[in-house]
Amino acid sequence: MTSFYGEHSKVWLSVDCIIFGFDEGKLKILIGRRQMDPGRGEWSLYGGFVRSDESVDDAANRVLFDLTGLRNLYMRQVGAFGNVDRDPGERVVSIAYYALINVKDYDDCLRQEYGLEWVNFDEVPTLYSDHNEMIQRARKMMRQKISNEPISFRLLPSLFTLTQLQKLYEAVSGEEVDKRNFRKRIKDMDFIEKTELIDKTGSKRGAFLYRFNKRAYKEDPTFKL
């Protein structure tokens, strides 16, 4: 360890992870009660401090894996949050990330182990420090991406109905869409494939199941919903 920069004050660096899920037609956020001081017991996002031997991306991936047991998640950096008074304990700068997971892929035992809860996005309580600001900025980024990048399929099971896809798009964008026009646009996309399988959980007649074809999307990345 060198003695450079000794004349400057030290700042702690952390990552906070905003984990989005989608279930029962609602956009969800994974939150829990803070397990350390300051702010012990307050609702909070999950995060951790960046270690001396890892990048901020590596730190976020480590936190996400510890929390979910899942690898290769869709993860994007939201930005840096560094107000001087954001943490009453020390001078802490946090880099926020958001990740998308399929709720059904998440081992519920891990959720219980960490004492976490899936909360509807519109019902998120007041969180520790600036965490509410983090999730609002993350959702804004998702809104910008969902019409031009097929991120919605990260939140859905491998087989899904068009109703599920529409409800997800509406939950992320915060706007209702016309069902007929939405389905017309979806059926014009070669990378959203209709299968012969039928989901009968919603009605006796059922609804056809669809799937996302990654190869077809890569061959024709002109997606715009």
Side-chain angles (χ1 to χ4, degrees):
M1 183 67 69
T2 69
S3 58
F4 298 123
Y5 314 126
E7 70 275 21
H8 299 288
S9 59
K10 293 184 179 180
V11 175
W12 295 91
L13 182 62
S14 68
V15 294
D16 281 297
C17 295
I18 306 151
I19 301 177
F20 287 103
F22 181 72
D23 194 30
E24 298 180 346
K26 299 289 186 179
L27 186 66
K28 307 276 187 175
I29 293 280
L30 197 62
I31 61 174
R33 296 286 186 179
R34 189 168 164 86
Q35 300 297 311
M36 60 188 296
D37 294 320
R40 186 183 298 271
E42 294 183 30
W43 286 110
S44 171
L45 296 174
Y46 193 88
F49 287 101
V50 179
R51 297 171 179 170
S52 60
D53 61 347
E54 64 184 0
S55 69
V56 290
D57 285 357
D58 289 341
N61 276 310
R62 168 176 55 82
V63 169
L64 284 171
F65 178 72
D66 288 346
L67 193 63
T68 68
L70 302 172
R71 295 191 185 277
N72 301 316
L73 295 175
Y74 180 93
M75 180 187 79
R76 292 293 184 273
Q77 190 178 115
V78 176
F81 293 77
N83 285 347
V84 174
D85 59 351
R86 66 173 301 274
D87 192 306
E90 295 284 353
R91 179 74 170 95
V92 180
V93 173
S94 182
I95 311 298
Y97 289 80
Y98 80 87
L100 310 180
I101 69 172
N102 176 7
V103 172
K104 304 303 181 185
D105 290 339
Y106 182 33
D107 186 347
D108 202 54
C109 291
L110 275 176
R111 182 189 64 77
Q112 295 180 35
E113 177 183 340
Y114 284 96
L116 302 172
E117 298 289 341
W118 283 112
V119 178
N120 291 343
F121 184 89
D122 295 332
E123 299 173 359
V124 172
T126 299
L127 303 178
Y128 176 75
S129 186
D130 48 12
H131 291 186
N132 288 92
E133 182 184 349
M134 290 179 180
I135 66 173
Q136 290 294 339
R137 192 183 298 182
R139 188 187 187 183
K140 183 178 180 180
M141 291 177 64
M142 287 176 62
R143 283 174 172 169
Q144 294 169 342
K145 282 185 174 292
I146 195 169
S147 293
N148 299 287
E149 186 178 331
I151 64 172
S152 55
F153 303 108
R154 303 280 187 162
L155 294 163
L156 292 170
S158 57
L159 294 173
F160 52 87
T161 65
L162 292 185
T163 297
Q164 285 177 304
L165 181 58
Q166 179 180 334
K167 286 185 177 296
L168 172 56
Y169 181 80
E170 291 176 335
V172 173
S173 67
E175 300 175 350
E176 291 187 9
V177 298
D178 180 80
K179 179 178 178 179
R180 182 178 299 179
N181 289 337
F182 183 84
R183 296 196 171 203
K184 182 179 184 300
R185 283 180 288 173
I186 293 298
K187 290 177 180 179
D188 288 339
M189 298 174 183
D190 293 336
F191 55 86
I192 300 179
E193 297 179 337
K194 183 179 180 180
T195 73
E196 297 302 317
L197 302 173
I198 296 178
D199 175 22
K200 293 188 177 181
T201 57
S203 66
K204 291 183 179 179
R205 182 181 179 184
F208 279 103
L209 290 165
Y210 289 73
R211 62 188 170 205
F212 174 59
N213 186 322
K214 293 182 181 179
R215 179 179 297 178
Y217 172 73
K218 290 179 179 179
E219 292 174 354
D220 183 23
T222 57
F223 174 67
K224 188 168 181 61
L225 188 58

